[in-house]
Amino acid sequence: GRLVKAFEYSFKQYNYIVTEYKPTLGAVFAEYLRAYTHWSYTDIDIVVGDLPLFIEREELERFDIVTYSFGDHERLYLRGQFAAHKNTPRVNMLFADCEHLGQGLLRELAFKAAAHKRMSEEAKKSGKPPPRVRFISAEGCYSAAAYARGAAITVKIANKFFADFGLKGDVAVAKGSLRQCPPEESVEGVPTRPRRGACELSPAADEDDDARASAARAHSAELPGIYEGVGPLMPLRLHAECSRWVDEKWRVCANLTNGGDGS
């Protein structure tokens, strides 16, 4: 009863906080997910393309969680825009490794409610709108929990979407798909592909670069994907010098070239 009342207050008074609990979706909606192999959360400001063309069966079968980045692959966190989770008890209960989602859930809800009531009273006296209560992003503790499991939880981060900030290079829309030209600058340890000019998508380019994409446009249950690996596997050195919006204790970063906005 206390937990239900705490959630009712939170979702009524500051409903944006529901986003904090998206890592629990696999457990909360387990009854509705029985027929599915995977589930994911997303954001409301996302334009989703033709998923079967870029989701790969191999990555869904091999990894416990698959998340797509916009090139900021040095930040090892689960993206809120897309993070496909295997529908298994082990993966669905990963959220419990975070105190505020597990054993400390009721305590965190009570803290938020008390802070909201106090700030609302102060705001009423000052005539100012009340500030937002504490929000703990899944890109912090939850992501760190996935990597803390080591080999017990396998994660893949793939550069498969665009964002409207920090985008380097040219972008073109052709034949119903959004394409980004290969970067001119080299990435440490990864060779660049030759450019044919600023997104000059000629028939020859289609025959060469987009051969796999063209074949995949006829949907296949095999989900072959249209991405190719470039360069050898590289060992990673981890640090915490990225993702400044996340509490430092939960940052997981790799020694890769920054492809995003640099923050």
Side-chain angles (χ1 to χ4, degrees):
R2 290 179 60 197
L3 187 59
V4 172
K5 290 180 180 179
F7 270 123
E8 287 178 344
Y9 181 88
S10 295
F11 295 162
K12 181 179 180 180
Q13 299 296 331
Y14 34 91
N15 54 18
Y16 60 86
I17 207 70
V18 70
T19 308
E20 186 169 305
Y21 305 103
K22 60 188 179 184
T24 70
L25 295 180
V28 172
F29 295 103
E31 180 180 351
Y32 301 94
L33 294 171
R34 289 176 181 172
Y36 299 91
T37 62
H38 291 75
W39 60 271
S40 179
Y41 45 69
T42 187
D43 290 336
I44 61 174
D45 57 347
I46 299 297
V47 176
V48 179
D50 201 342
L51 291 177
L53 296 188
F54 56 87
I55 291 181
E56 303 168 31
R57 176 178 288 273
E58 185 270 342
E59 65 188 8
L60 293 179
E61 292 178 344
R62 180 180 174 187
F63 297 93
D64 292 308
I65 303 175
V66 178
T67 189
Y68 296 155
S69 78
F70 58 86
D72 59 335
H73 36 265
E74 79 289 348
R75 302 186 185 107
L76 305 183
Y77 68 90
L78 307 181
R79 272 63 178 177
Q81 293 84 2
F82 182 85
H85 293 60
K86 273 187 178 178
N87 187 19
T88 65
R90 177 170 54 89
V91 175
N92 291 348
M93 291 304 297
L94 177 62
F95 71 87
D97 286 3
C98 290
E99 178 70 15
H100 69 288
L101 298 176
Q103 293 184 351
L105 174 60
L106 186 57
R107 183 168 56 252
E108 178 65 22
L109 286 168
F111 171 84
K112 285 178 167 59
H116 177 264
K117 292 173 182 177
R118 184 186 70 254
M119 293 186 296
S120 295
E121 285 297 321
E122 294 173 351
K124 186 183 297 185
K125 293 177 182 178
S126 64
K128 297 179 180 179
R132 294 164 69 93
V133 300
R134 179 167 69 185
F135 172 77
I136 303 176
S137 171
E139 296 171 351
C141 178
Y142 183 60
S143 296
Y147 290 108
R149 289 287 191 96
I153 296 289
T154 55
V155 179
K156 176 180 179 179
I157 300 176
N159 183 14
K160 292 190 180 182
F161 70 77
F162 297 125
D164 58 358
F165 59 89
L167 189 61
K168 297 182 178 180
D170 303 300
V171 175
V173 177
K175 296 185 176 181
S177 63
L178 188 65
R179 311 178 189 181
Q180 183 179 10
C181 292
E184 293 181 300
E185 67 274 15
S186 62
V187 177
E188 181 182 355
V190 179
T192 59
R193 299 178 63 187
R195 290 169 61 95
R196 287 185 169 85
C199 284
E200 182 181 348
L201 300 175
S202 64
D206 277 339
E207 292 174 7
D208 181 8
D209 288 349
D210 300 324
R212 295 186 67 199
S214 298
R217 288 190 184 105
H219 288 172
S220 168
E222 294 304 314
L223 298 177
I226 58 175
Y227 288 79
E228 301 176 21
V230 179
L233 294 176
M234 300 181 295
L236 297 179
R237 177 181 56 81
L238 301 183
H239 59 87
E241 299 301 318
C242 72
S243 305
R244 306 294 182 182
W245 68 93
V246 173
D247 191 307
E248 186 175 2
K249 65 183 177 183
W250 292 327
R251 296 176 195 164
V252 185
C253 319
N255 58 321
L256 297 171
T257 300
N258 185 292
D261 63 356
S263 61

